[in-house]
Each structure stands twice: as C-alpha cells, then as structure tokens.
Amino acid sequence: MVRELSAAVGVEIGSSRATIAIISANGQVRERFEARTLRGRPARATLEPYLRAIDAAIQRAEGAGYALRGIGVALPGKLDQTYRRPFLIPLLPSLNHFPLCDLLETRYHLPVRLHSDVEAAALGEYAFGAARNRHQALLLTVQAVVGAALISDGQPEPTARDCTGHVCHLPVANTGPRCSCGRRGCISTLVSLEALQRLIQRAARKGESSSLLQRLSNREHFSAQLLAEEAARGDSLALSIYQEVGHWLGIAVAYYLRHFAPEVVVLGNGLLNADELLLGHLRYSLLSQFGAQPAAEEGQRVHALSIVPAHLGRDAALIGSAVPFLAPLPAHRAEGEPSALPSQEAPALASRGGGELVLEELATARRREGRSASRTYRLPPASDDLSWLVTERPQSSGPPSPDDLGPAAPSHPRLNPRRLRGRDH
C-alpha cells in the first residue's frame, strides 16, 4: 500500500504578485501558482485572486493524492497573533484587522498559520536551509528595508519582538534619518534602498568618477547583480557601499549576539549579494564591537558564530510559511518521495499495492512524459464583478466573513527609487 504523502499549501504575498505552492514534507516546491496583487481595493477584492489560486493548488494536490496538513501565509507587515489576523500591512491596508485565518479555515477546512515574510523565510532556512540543525538562528534581509527574525528551537523568539519583524527598528546609531517609528539611527534607515540611493546621489553631486554612476546614468536599474559586478571590477563607489552596509550589519549582529546568542546568522537575498566581500566587512565590523580583547564568554560567542548566505533563495518565505505543518521525514522517505506531483495514472498504480514499487513506477512514468518538477500556472485576470468573492465552497456551512473589521492603516511612505529600482519580490 502506498504510504501517505504529506504536504501543505504555502502562500507568499508580494508587492506585484503572490506565489501559492504545494510544499512537500521535505520542503520541496512541487507545483506553484501565481496570482496578481490588487492594490487599493477592499479586502474581498484584494483576496479574490489569491483564493482562486489556493483553490487550484488544493484541487491539484487532492487529485494527486497528497494529504494536506494546512495552509501557511507569509505577509509583508506586522501580524496580530492573538486574534490571528494581519495588523499592519502597508502594501494592502484593507487587510489590516481582517480575520484572514478565520476566513481561510472556514473556506478550506484546514488549519492556517500567518507569518511575517521575514519570519517565514527564517523558518524555511531553519528547517531546510542554511540554519538547519541549529538551535538559535538569526535571519537578516536587506530589501527596501531591513527585516530580521530570530528562531529558537523551531519557534520565533518571543522576547525579540522589539528588534525583529518585516521592518527592523533596531537602533544602531545615535544620529541619522528619522525612521517611521519616530527615532533616529534605526538600521532600516541606514541599510535600505533609500539609504543606498543617498550614497549614490552624494557621490554624483561630488562628481566622483565611478563606472557604477555611469551605468545608472545610462538607465540601468540598480540591482544586487549590478553592484556586485562593479565591486568585482574595483569601482570605488560600489566598494564603499559594501563597506557601509557591512559596518551597520556588524553592529546589529553584535547586539543580537549579546542578547540572544544565535549560533548562525543567515543573510537573505536582497539588494546586495551575500558574497565574501559583504561577509568580510560584516565580520570585521562585528569583531570591532567587542574590542581587541573581548570577555571570555563574548569572545567564545563571536568565534563560534557562523555567518552564511541563505540557501533557499527567493523561495525561503514560501517554503517557510508551510513549515509548521511539515513533519520531518525519515531518511528513507526523503529519498523515496516522488520528485513531482503524481499524474493522472496515480490511482490505478496505487491500487496495485507494493509501496516503494508504486513510487518507482510513478517516477518512471513522469520521466517518460518529460514533466518538470515544478510548473507555474498564471491565472487569468480577475473579473471586475467580485460580489461572489469569498463565498464558501459547497461543502462549507460557516457564515461569510465581513469585508473589513477596522480602519485602514496609513500607507507606507512611498520610495522614489527612479532608476535605482530594486526587485520588489
């Protein structure tokens, strides 16, 4: 008899699109779907494309014989875990205070967990990536803002709430631009897309000779790859950006090391490549925070700390959102699980019995068909008629959820990157 294949549905909501995927028990993306992010609309209209994509993913997984354990959702903002709903989502303010968990559980009859995007990425790296087999792990991401998440024995560290989250407000300097939290010197104002813009604009005003400036003036978009290329060529501005970012990140890591003692620091994908150049500046800055002769305990922590780039790439938050529902696989299961979703002949093969033989036959059949392990479906554009949006599936009998349960939060200050736009997802 075929052993049950466990899976969960992962949802990652980004500024231009959301990715919905079937995540197997060993953290592999088996199939993915995409849905547009609709801004400036009521909660029901905002959720409509996501719900249709989740419908498609669940239908596909159930038809393939996967036993779904739950739905994980990664959101770009703050969450209210007491009431299990978004609290402050600057990108989609109509979702603020919306009972998202209740809606999804009523609609799909599956348990649901919400995560901030950076927390989900940390869980992914902790379970299946660079922080695997560690007790305490810190993830830092450098996007339009700096995000941080601290994981302790598989759970977000509750005592670190004030210095972690989608936007990290850890103070690392006494002066600097004023942050949205009202203070000066927050790391998110010193290491961010806007901060890098200021460095570049300052160099341009000074008339510095820089091939990076030349490429940006030729309408190339600012990106991690562009910056890495110019740093490799020895461009002084690109090198100074790496040094600046490494300096502030080193101060931040020193704070986390003193207060939480993580065993590994994972640098997520973002505006800068986490290569040896950035890691070198970060380590130098970190060591300088403890002086030439640190205390024995502190010195031990510093030298034992690993600082590594993320392993899961842009799928970290997507995979991590499903981690609470994915039990670790025994070694023989990890090797024997099929590399893609079972095809239409699965029921016939399953009826023959023979466990491992059946899995082998499925894998052989898929190789013959030349199917890829991960396929992307782009859903058709959403209809303007959204009145039927969150009506439950036929088997559900719970009451429909309201559009919104609270006032919209003020929008996030709009960045104006011009030619320096980074990737938004």
Side-chain angles (χ1 to χ4, degrees):
M1 182 176 179
V2 179
R3 284 175 291 185
E4 188 180 68
L5 299 177
S6 298
V9 173
V11 180
E12 182 188 5
I13 296 176
S15 60
S16 61
R17 63 183 172 87
T19 303
I20 293 85
I22 302 165
I23 313 294
S24 66
N26 61 352
Q28 297 297 311
V29 176
R30 296 304 177 188
E31 201 154 353
R32 69 179 75 221
F33 305 75
E34 288 184 354
R36 293 187 304 160
T37 289
L38 305 177
R39 301 198 199 186
R41 303 201 185 188
R44 289 175 181 253
T46 299
L47 292 171
E48 190 267 347
Y50 307 153
L51 294 178
R52 289 193 297 137
I54 295 171
D55 288 344
I58 289 178
Q59 183 180 11
R60 175 63 176 153
E62 289 176 346
Y66 274 74
L68 291 178
R69 301 303 185 193
I71 300 172
V73 183
L75 291 153
K78 293 183 180 180
L79 307 176
D80 182 343
Q81 295 293 6
T82 302
Y83 293 99
R84 304 169 66 241
R85 59 185 63 180
F87 177 71
L88 179 60
I89 310 297
L91 175 69
L92 302 170
S94 64
L95 295 186
N96 295 342
H97 313 297
F98 185 85
L100 186 56
C101 275
D102 293 339
L103 167 67
L104 295 176
E105 287 177 350
T106 300
R107 182 180 174 92
Y108 298 113
H109 302 280
L110 289 168
V112 176
R113 286 285 298 272
L114 301 184
H115 313 268
S116 69
D117 50 3
V118 66
E119 180 183 285
L123 284 171
E125 292 292 342
Y126 183 92
F128 302 109
R132 196 169 186 176
N133 300 322
R134 304 298 183 102
H135 294 290
Q136 290 259 98
L138 170 69
L139 175 77
L140 292 173
T141 62
V142 182
Q143 303 282 356
V145 291
V146 175
L150 191 69
I151 304 297
S152 178
D153 292 322
Q155 299 294 327
E157 177 58 59
T159 60
R161 292 294 180 192
D162 291 340
C163 53
T164 58
H166 171 74
V167 180
C168 181
H169 293 293
L170 178 69
V172 293
N174 295 323
T175 60
R178 188 174 295 280
C179 181
S180 60
C181 69
R183 297 181 297 187
R184 294 186 183 274
C186 282
I187 191 170
S188 283
T189 64
L190 297 167
V191 180
S192 62
L193 176 60
E194 197 171 19
L196 301 193
Q197 281 183 249
R198 288 195 300 270
L199 289 174
I200 292 170
Q201 290 163 356
R202 189 181 304 134
R205 286 195 300 269
K206 290 181 178 179
E208 292 183 16
S209 176
S210 166
S211 55
L212 175 61
L213 286 175
Q214 183 63 43
R215 292 179 68 176
L216 292 174
S217 66
N218 290 335
R219 298 184 179 275
E220 288 194 54
H221 289 170
F222 182 84
S223 66
Q225 184 61 34
L226 175 64
L227 191 63
E229 288 175 5
E230 290 306 314
R233 292 172 182 164
D235 180 77
S236 59
L237 177 57
L239 292 172
S240 69
I241 288 174
Y242 272 98
Q243 183 176 8
E244 179 88 357
V245 172
H247 171 70
W248 296 120
L249 289 179
I251 295 176
V253 171
Y255 173 88
Y256 290 109
L257 195 61
R258 287 189 178 104
H259 291 82
F260 303 102
E263 300 170 55
V264 59
V265 175
V266 180
L267 296 184
N269 291 330
L271 292 176
L272 283 79
N273 288 335
D275 55 18
E276 194 51 46
L277 179 59
L278 177 61
L279 296 179
H281 285 302
L282 196 164
R283 290 189 188 102
Y284 179 81
S285 174
L286 172 63
L287 289 170
S288 68
Q289 301 306 308
F290 292 93
Q293 293 183 333
E297 186 179 349
E298 287 184 339
Q300 218 171 25
R301 289 181 185 177
V302 171
H303 291 295
L305 182 68
S306 298
I307 305 175
V308 296
H311 287 180
L312 299 182
R314 296 190 178 276
D315 280 341
L318 181 65
I319 295 170
S321 68
V323 162
F325 306 109
L326 303 178
L329 282 176
H332 64 277
R333 267 287 296 280
E335 294 171 2
E337 188 179 31
S339 59
L341 288 173
S343 55
Q344 294 174 351
E345 71 274 13
L349 288 172
S351 65
R352 300 178 198 172
E356 299 297 333
L357 178 61
V358 173
L359 295 178
E360 230 176 352
E361 290 183 61
L362 286 174
T364 304
R366 278 190 298 276
R367 282 195 295 271
R368 286 200 306 268
E369 294 169 5
R371 295 178 181 174
S372 63
S374 177
R375 293 179 290 176
T376 299
Y377 292 81
R378 295 187 182 274
L379 298 177
S383 166
D384 288 333
D385 179 14
L386 302 172
S387 58
W388 48 273
L389 173 58
V390 273
T391 54
E392 298 175 16
R393 302 202 299 181
Q395 69 270 27
S396 178
S397 57
S401 298
D403 274 346
D404 203 347
L405 298 183
S411 299
H412 189 68
R414 183 184 178 89
L415 297 180
N416 183 23
R418 297 182 181 175
R419 301 190 187 104
L420 310 181
R421 288 201 305 270
R423 295 187 64 176
D424 59 10
H425 190 76

